[in-house]
Amino acid sequence: MPTDRALVVGASGGIGAALANRLDDSHDVTRLSRSSDGLDVTDAASVARSIGALEGPFDLVFVATGILAPDGAAPEKTLDAVDAEVMARTFAVNAIGPALVLRAIVPKLADAGRIGVLTARVGSIGDNRMGGWYSYRAAKAAANQIVHGAAIEIGRRNKGSIVVALHPGTVETPFTEGYKAPKVSAGEAAANLIDVLTGLDPAQSGGFFDYSGDRIEW
C-alpha cells in the first residue's frame, strides 16, 4: 500500500481525473469534485466543509479546477465583448476558488508537502502578444499572484514545502473542444505535471512552470 498521500481537487475534470488515476500507482489518493462531493470552490463554506473533513497530512496536492468561460459564454475577442457578470464568474472560479482551497489546505499539508495549482500560460502578462481573452487571462494572472503569495506564506510554516503554478499545455478535454491548437491527451498531461511538481526543489517554490518544467515569465 502506498504511504504517500495525494489530494486532487477537481478530480472529475479531464485533467483532474487523469491526475488522480495516474497517482493511484504511487499514492493513497483522495478525490474532491463538484459532481461527486458537492464541492463549490467559489463558496467559502463549501470549501471549508469539504477540505476540513479530510484527514491529512497530504504530501502532494493538485488544484485542477477552472473554467474557460461560464456556460453560454466564450472568451472575449474584443473589449466590446467584456461582460461584468461573465468576468466576475470567471474570476470566482479561476482565482478566488484556488485561494479558498489554498487557505483550507494549509492545516492538512505535510511539512514537505507539494501543491500544484493549474493555471495557464495565457495568464502570463509578459507572454501576452495577441490580446483578447480578457476575463480568462486576467483571472489566471490573478491566480498566479495568489499562488506566489501563498508559497511565501506557506513556506514560513512548512519549511520544505513547494507551491507552484503549473501550465498543463493544451489538453484534449471537453474544456478545449472547438480549439484547433495541437493537443496532448489528459493522461500525458497528467504524467508531465506530476513529473514537474515532484522534480522541483523548495528554492523553486512560488514559481510558474509549464508541463516540461520550463519557467514561464510572469
Side-chain angles (χ1 to χ4, degrees):
M1 287 289 292
T3 56
D4 286 350
R5 305 190 66 220
L7 170 64
V8 179
V9 182
S12 63
I15 300 175
L19 283 166
N21 291 338
R22 186 87 179 187
L23 287 166
D24 267 336
D25 293 335
S26 55
H27 290 71
D28 177 8
V29 180
T30 298
R31 296 163 166 82
L32 276 182
S33 70
R34 186 183 187 99
S35 61
S36 61
D37 306 288
L39 171 65
D40 180 357
V41 296
T42 69
D43 181 84
S46 176
V47 173
R49 181 172 59 252
S50 295
I51 294 181
L54 301 178
E55 182 180 348
F58 292 102
D59 304 283
L60 199 64
V61 178
F62 279 99
V63 183
T65 56
I67 56 171
L68 192 60
D71 291 342
E76 312 93 341
K77 295 182 179 179
T78 66
L79 281 169
D80 287 341
V82 170
D83 177 274
E85 291 185 4
V86 168
M87 181 171 275
R89 178 62 182 169
T90 306
F91 264 78
V93 176
N94 291 332
I96 298 173
L100 294 175
V101 170
L102 287 169
R103 181 179 72 174
I105 201 63
V106 169
K108 308 287 183 177
L109 189 66
D111 288 341
R114 296 167 182 256
I115 303 175
V117 179
L118 273 59
T119 65
R121 187 185 297 274
V122 296
S124 165
I125 295 173
D127 190 60
N128 182 1
R129 296 174 179 85
M130 296 187 66
W133 287 40
Y134 291 96
S135 296
Y136 187 70
R137 284 185 186 275
K140 290 300 187 179
N144 286 343
Q145 180 71 281
I146 290 163
V147 170
H148 185 72
I152 295 169
E153 179 179 348
I154 292 171
R156 295 188 186 115
R157 169 176 171 155
N158 300 64
K159 299 300 185 183
S161 64
I162 298 172
V163 183
V164 292
L166 296 173
H167 167 60
T170 305
V171 184
E172 192 171 348
T173 67
F175 190 85
T176 60
E177 284 181 3
Y179 293 90
K180 297 179 180 180
K183 302 172 186 176
V184 299
S185 70
E188 183 179 350
N192 291 337
L193 293 168
I194 293 167
D195 285 346
V196 171
L197 184 56
T198 57
L200 296 173
D201 62 62
Q204 295 169 294
S205 187
F208 182 19
F209 300 91
D210 72 8
Y211 53 88
S212 62
D214 291 335
R215 189 179 289 271
I216 302 174
E217 63 180 323
W218 296 113

